[in-house]
């Protein structure tokens, strides 16, 4: 808009006039989150309404939570576009939040990326592990989940893009559409739009008290949390055939316990059941943590090893840039203008480019150490953890020969006569298999070895934290 000309000035004036005449409920702000100054605790904080609807009566009741901490912003082009708040039920208890609120806009009616799916998955996990002394508390527990409602009088409308474009019903429409049997009643009725809803504003509340893994006090806490998360992922697959589909630094929560700290799994928006391809082609929020196979073929059916591979990338990322904001700021400040950090390729370009970079970095233990581990923080317990997880996932004894030969084949200086005859014949007949597919044949052995690795690192981290080691679950 160029206001130096007549047309530009006319456009600016038209915009200001339209804004002044636009109904309040179509201006785009969220009336269910309010910024409060100088009340309660005396510090600024947010009031966040979470609505519950009685399906029998249609009555909507808001529950207000209070928060001084936003744990994550909706600043990504992909994923579930969520904001996260540490919250409590009163201003006085905000310093010890007991709830995690996830606020997001989801695409309705197009797959599993909504809180109805997440609620279903978490209910299955709670039913299976709720009474388990070992895994109780390993998965986040939902308190409530549902749409955010905006109101006009006693009429509540689910907030959506349809509402933004059409506005709330008028008072005349409200009276015409209200339930005749409820005329004169003070109960709140929900007014539903018949328009197609592209995205709907939804909010979930979960029990929680702690921090996200990307704001840990130290790296030993991260080791324990990652180990707990891997054990929980294996148990969810072993007992319920559930695969987590969106591993990131927001998917693992930290909680202080008598033994030091515990890792809790969250973010089951993109979870699916083993062998089920429904929804796997949705793009998670962070491609840098996705497995190689998921990047190369988004519609490929995920396996447990793909999910555990994502955790390896999370360990490498936190081990390089730091486990909390203070460490990250200090690290970035000390970097040169063009840092020699191959790991940055995991967060640049399209999925195919990221997958290609990861294949190179993961190809052998030597390549992995030279390009990734050597750039991680010295004396960090995440360095040996990353090396051992890599060996378990990418260099299993039954698959490693294939991986080495893949590396040999890619070397143009190698003569075909140096390749074993059986493999040469298989190559000629098109019967060679990608090692990332081949390793699924040995999943049980790989997982058993990985659990031993995790037990060793978790016990060492707990000892560093001054807590007693805990038993680790076995089996794949």
């Amino acid at each position: 808009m160029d206001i130096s000309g007549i047309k530009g000035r006319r456009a600016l004036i038209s915009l200001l006039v339209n804004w002044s005449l636009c109904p309040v409920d179509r201006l785009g702000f969220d009336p269910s989150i309010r910024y409060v100054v100088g009340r309660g605790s005396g510090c600024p904080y947010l009031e966040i309404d979470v609505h519950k609807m009685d399906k029998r009566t249609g009555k909507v009741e808001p529950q207000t939570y209070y928060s001084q901490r936003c744990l994550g912003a909706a600043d990504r082009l992909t994923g579930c576009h969520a904001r996260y708040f540490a919250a409590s039920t009163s201003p006085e208890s905000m310093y010890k939040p007991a709830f995690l609120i996830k606020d997001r806009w989801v695409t309705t009616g197009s797959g599993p990326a909504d809180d109805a799916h997440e609620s279903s998955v978490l209910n299955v996990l709670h039913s299976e592990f709720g009474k388990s002394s070992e895994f109780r508390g390993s998965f986040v527990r939902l308190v409530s989940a549902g749409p955010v409602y905006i109101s006009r009088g006693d009429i509540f409308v689910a907030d959506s893009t349809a509402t933004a474009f059409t506005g709330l019903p008028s008072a005349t429409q409200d009276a015409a559409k209200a339930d005749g049997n409820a005329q004169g009643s003070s109960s709140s009725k929900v007014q539903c739009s018949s328009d197609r809803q592209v995205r709907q504003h939804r909010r979930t509340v979960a029990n929680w008290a702690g921090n996200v893994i990307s704001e840990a006090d130290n790296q030993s806490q991260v080791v324990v949390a990652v180990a707990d998360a891997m054990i929980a992922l294996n148990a969810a697959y072993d007992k319920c055939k559930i695969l987590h589909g969106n591993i990131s630094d927001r998917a693992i929560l930290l909680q202080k316990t008598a033994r030091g700290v515990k890792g809790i799994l969250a973010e089951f928006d993109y979870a699916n059941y083993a062998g089920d391809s429904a929804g796997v082609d949705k793009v998670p929020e962070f491609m840098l943590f996705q497995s190689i196979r998921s990047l190369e073929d988004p519609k490929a059916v995920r396996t447990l090893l793909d999910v555990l591979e994502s955790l390896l990338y999370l360990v490498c990322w936190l081990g390089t840039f730091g486990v909390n904001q203070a460490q990250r700021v200090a690290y970035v400040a000390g970097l040169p203008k063009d840092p020699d950090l191959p790991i940055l390729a995991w967060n640049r370009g399209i999925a195919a480019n990221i997958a290609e970079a990861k294949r190179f970095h993961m190809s052998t233990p030597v390549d992995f150490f030279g390009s990734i581990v050597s750039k991680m923080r010295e004396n960090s317990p995440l360095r040996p953890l990353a090396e051992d997880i890599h060996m378990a996932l990418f260099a299993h004894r039954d698959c490693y020969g294939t991986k080495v030969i893949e590396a040999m084949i890619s070397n143009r200086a190698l003569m075909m006569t140096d390749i074993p005859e059986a493999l040469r014949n298989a190559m000629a007949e098109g019967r060679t298999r990608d090692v990332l597919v081949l390793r699924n044949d040995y999943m049980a052995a790989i997982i058993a070895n990985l659990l031993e690795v995790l037990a060793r690192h978790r016990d060492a981290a707990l000892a560093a934290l001054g807590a007693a080691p805990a038993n680790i679950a076995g089996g794949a």
Side-chain angles (χ1 to χ4, degrees):
M1 183 184 297
D2 182 7
I3 60 173
S4 63
I6 295 177
K7 289 184 178 180
R9 290 194 290 271
R10 182 188 296 273
L12 175 60
I13 293 172
S14 297
L15 177 62
L16 296 175
V17 170
N18 287 330
W19 268 345
S20 66
L21 297 176
C22 183
V24 172
D25 51 75
R26 297 181 62 185
L27 286 175
F29 71 93
D30 184 359
S32 64
I33 297 183
R34 298 171 294 278
Y35 185 77
V36 181
V37 180
R39 287 183 3 204
S41 63
C43 299
Y45 61 91
L46 296 175
E47 291 181 343
I48 305 173
D49 291 338
V50 177
H51 300 92
K52 294 182 180 180
M53 183 185 71
D54 187 321
K55 293 182 179 180
R56 183 177 59 85
T57 65
K59 186 176 182 180
V60 173
E61 292 290 349
Q63 165 72 53
T64 301
Y65 292 84
Y66 304 86
S67 174
Q68 286 184 315
R69 294 174 59 200
C70 180
L71 302 175
D75 54 1
R76 294 276 173 161
L77 296 178
T78 58
C80 59
H81 308 283
R83 293 184 295 172
Y84 302 82
F85 301 92
S88 62
T89 54
S90 69
E92 292 73 24
S93 58
M94 284 188 297
Y95 299 106
K96 294 183 178 180
F99 301 95
L100 179 69
I101 297 178
K102 179 162 62 175
D103 180 81
R104 59 191 176 147
W105 288 79
V106 300
T107 304
T108 59
S110 60
D114 59 28
D115 50 40
H117 174 76
E118 184 178 33
S119 299
S120 174
V121 170
L122 289 173
N123 286 338
V124 170
L125 293 172
H126 179 70
S127 176
E128 178 66 37
F129 300 109
K131 297 182 180 179
S132 167
S133 59
E134 186 173 8
F135 292 106
R136 185 172 58 249
S138 294
F139 307 96
V140 70
R141 177 76 186 276
L142 286 185
V143 175
S144 66
V148 174
Y149 291 96
I150 51 180
S151 64
R152 172 171 289 166
D154 63 349
I155 303 296
F156 281 77
V157 180
D159 192 15
S160 67
T161 50
T163 304
F165 284 117
T166 63
L168 291 177
S170 67
T172 303
Q173 291 173 322
D174 293 348
K177 295 183 179 181
D179 184 358
N181 295 328
Q183 289 183 4
S185 171
S186 60
S187 63
S188 302
K189 295 292 181 179
V190 177
Q191 179 70 51
C192 298
S193 171
S194 60
D195 294 341
R196 177 178 176 82
Q197 297 174 353
V198 178
R199 284 189 177 271
Q200 189 177 66
H201 191 187
R202 303 183 72 88
R203 200 164 284 159
T204 61
V205 181
N207 281 321
W208 170 71
N211 215 334
V212 290
I213 194 173
S214 57
E215 291 300 333
D217 294 335
N218 53 65
Q219 302 208 7
S220 293
Q221 287 186 351
V222 174
V223 172
V224 176
V226 168
D228 286 342
M230 282 194 164
I231 303 309
L233 287 169
N234 177 61
Y237 174 81
D238 189 33
K239 298 295 185 181
C240 308
K241 300 304 177 187
I242 290 175
L243 294 169
H244 197 291
N246 193 22
I247 292 295
S248 72
D249 55 351
R250 297 178 181 177
I252 304 176
L253 308 177
L254 294 172
Q255 189 165 25
K256 298 292 180 66
T257 67
R259 69 179 180 90
V261 70
K262 179 180 179 62
I264 304 173
L265 270 178
E267 289 297 282
F268 284 85
D269 308 78
Y270 292 83
N272 69 299
Y273 291 88
D276 182 8
S277 61
V280 298
D281 57 338
K282 289 185 173 294
V283 182
E285 192 164 3
F286 300 95
M287 285 198 294
L288 72 94
F289 301 128
Q290 279 190 268
S291 69
I292 295 172
R293 289 276 294 165
S294 296
L295 290 166
E296 292 176 338
D297 183 6
K299 294 187 178 181
V301 176
R302 283 191 299 265
T303 69
L304 177 60
L305 296 180
D306 289 320
V307 178
L308 298 177
E309 183 184 328
S310 294
L311 273 174
L312 170 60
Y313 301 138
L314 176 60
V315 169
C316 295
W317 193 263
L318 294 177
T320 301
F321 294 100
V323 299
N324 54 49
Q325 184 66 19
Q327 289 187 5
R328 286 189 287 274
V329 169
Y331 181 79
V332 172
L335 289 176
K337 184 176 181 180
D338 296 311
D340 178 23
L341 287 176
I343 196 173
L344 292 175
W346 298 0
N347 201 31
R348 292 174 177 172
I350 61 176
N353 294 341
I354 296 174
E356 183 180 8
K358 287 182 176 180
R359 272 195 180 271
F360 174 75
H361 298 155
M362 300 294 142
S363 58
T364 67
V366 173
D367 290 328
F368 179 62
F369 181 87
S371 57
I372 303 299
V373 176
S374 64
K375 310 295 183 181
M376 296 172 67
R377 291 167 174 263
E378 294 184 6
N379 303 318
S380 167
L382 293 175
R383 289 183 67 160
L385 176 63
E387 287 188 277
D388 286 349
I389 294 176
H390 173 266
M391 285 293 294
L393 291 177
F394 289 93
H396 179 65
R397 59 181 179 274
D398 293 320
C399 305
Y400 188 48
T402 304
K403 174 58 72 175
V404 171
I405 291 174
E406 279 187 355
M408 292 168 62
I409 294 172
S410 66
N411 184 350
R412 294 181 181 274
L414 182 72
M415 299 297 293
M416 286 293 290
T417 54
D418 295 330
I419 300 175
E421 182 179 0
L423 180 60
R424 286 205 310 273
N425 295 337
M427 291 170 58
E429 299 171 10
R431 293 187 287 105
T432 53
R433 297 177 65 193
D434 184 350
V435 67
L436 298 181
V437 177
L438 177 64
R439 69 181 181 182
N440 292 319
D441 295 343
Y442 306 96
M443 184 182 297
I446 291 174
I447 295 299
N449 177 52
L450 186 58
L451 290 174
E452 294 179 4
V453 168
L454 295 174
R456 183 170 69 253
H457 285 278
R458 187 169 73 172
D459 288 351
L462 287 171
L465 293 171
N471 293 328
I472 193 167

